[in-house]
Amino acid sequence: MFLRTATSTLAVLALTVPAFGDVSPAEVWQNWIEYYQANGYNVTEGTREEAGDTLILRDVAITYAAPGDELDLRFVAPEISLLATGDGRVRTTLADTIPMSVRFTEDGEDVTLTGALTLRDSEIVTSGSAEDMTHDSRMGEVSLALQTMQTGATTRDLPVTLTIANLTSRQNVTRTDAMRFDVEMAAERLNLEADLADLDDAGTGDAGTGDDGSEGSDGPTRVKLSGVVNDLRGASTGVMPLDADPGTDMAAALRAGLDVSGNLAAGAGRFELDVAGTDAEGQPENVAGHYTVEGTDVSFGFGADGLKYQGAIDSTAAEFTVTGLPAPISYSMAETTFDVQMPVLKSDEPAPFKLAYSIGGLSLADGIWDMFDPQKVLPRDPASLDIDITGLMRLTMDLFDPALAKAAEAAGDDAAGSDGMDATGDDATPNPFEPTEISLNKIALSAVGASFDSSGELRVPESGDMTQPVGTLNARIEGVNGLIDRLVQLGVLNSDEVAGYRMMLAMFARPAPEGGDALVSEFEFREGGEIFANGQQVK
């Protein structure tokens, strides 16, 4: 539910920046309507009052309904005022408070969130012409405050507030056969505050008691969350077709020319969390701590050529205290990066894909190490992880094909039977991905004094059987024998088992040419499913 709530919140916030104006108030408003309709939203007016150079609209509802009635967003602006300034520009102002609601389905039950969007010191000034417009907006403060959550016949308070300070943006829009836009935005600060009580209560008013009066499961009864992120910056550019609705048929919109890219960066941030509750015996439980980040930079691209999502997170750290643990859970990471690229449309020709992820400088606090290694047997050097996989794949279905989504939903509904076992059969979700070539550029892990590094090339054989790839993988392991000795010293491994582990290693690896505690391997995958390790057939 939290993920869907967060997504809904961001969608509603996006609606606070009106787009697409023109030289007269009526034309500004018409272009605004066309923009939201192109994105799958519906705009309806309560009343319209037009006099001279002023257009005032009241009770304007902007709504979005997802296919299948799974999500419904709505906010109603009591008043929107558009005024021609006399110099070819139009100034738009909105009511200070705009009620909003989000309705979605969770575990087969309707959930409705209500709240309000509050704007302070806001205006949008539009200049240019009908074909080429620039919109400059400023908002001293934008605040989205959730107020209640209704589940079935039960309504409870939901105090969650997201506030953005000193938000400015510049948006250039050209409109011919499609809408093309370039946007730059900046904000001084983003604040998040939440104070959620009785999260384990089904809504009866008695924490821990179900609707039938039975004792509920133990769990958190109160969650407090606060956070701040400074210096937000972003930019985006894109093309939006006028005759396709991405909300109902994303694949058709992509084929019609939908193409959007952009980036979002932020400076330092800090989040505080406090979770308090009781266990099954009624004893108090608490988790409290903080998370900090020095900076974030994320970029994205989405079009007929595929999906790209890349980013880097600088220097993060976290520390939490947990009831029952003798020391805080504390760790830090120097850097985290990710890069995902993949096709999204069905094609007979393979298209490039990429999956890369890295963690650098992962360090655990001594208090965590001391829980299982008080004698400091294991090296406590920072750990790292690197995954870099590229290749070619063919899509047998559009990634946003409604049939694929329905099949995934059906498989989810049938994922477990009454005995809890996974369901199998014809209702399984179809797999649209058919890799034809895979390059393992790097898969590496370094931790506790040992390291593993591998690379290689694989391809689908002429038979087309993806379960029997053809190619070669090379691997190198350093420090593994020393790690085995340390695990025996810790008591994790039994000394009688060590010979067996080393024998298994000898089957798949040989000593490195330079000697020392290093092993190397070469795995060859041949036609017909045969596998050779260092020249010896193992399958």
Side-chain angles (χ1 to χ4, degrees), residues 18-32 34-35 88-90 124-136 170-176 178-183:
F20 313 129
D22 209 336
V23 293
S24 75
E27 291 167 329
V28 169
W29 176 238
Q30 182 59 34
N31 277 286
W32 186 0
E34 291 175 357
Y35 168 72
R89 301 185 299 169
V90 171
I124 301 96
V125 177
T126 302
S127 60
S129 64
E131 294 76 25
D132 189 346
M133 295 178 289
T134 299
H135 314 273
D136 290 290
R170 166 162 286 195
Q171 181 182 52
N172 177 253
V173 180
T174 59
R175 187 182 187 280
T176 53
M179 287 184 179
R180 292 172 171 81
F181 62 88
D182 288 281
V183 181

Side-chain angles (χ1 to χ4, degrees), residues 414-469:
D414 297 333
S418 59
D419 58 356
M421 299 297 291
D422 291 340
T424 58
D426 296 336
D427 290 335
T429 304
N431 180 11
F433 304 105
E434 286 189 357
T436 59
E437 294 182 16
I438 300 176
S439 296
L440 303 179
N441 304 309
K442 190 177 186 66
I443 297 180
L445 173 64
S446 176
V448 292
S451 65
F452 170 82
D453 198 331
S454 66
S455 62
E457 301 279 343
L458 298 175
R459 62 177 176 82
V460 176
E462 294 182 1
S463 65
D465 187 354
M466 291 184 292
T467 65
Q468 297 182 353

Side-chain angles (χ1 to χ4, degrees), residues 264-302:
L264 179 64
R270 181 182 177 92
F271 294 87
E272 304 276 351
L273 175 68
D274 191 337
V275 182
T278 57
D279 61 18
E281 287 73 37
Q283 297 301 310
E285 289 185 321
N286 181 258
V287 177
H290 63 268
Y291 172 85
T292 61
V293 57
E294 291 301 317
T296 305
D297 195 334
V298 177
S299 62
F300 65 90
F302 184 55

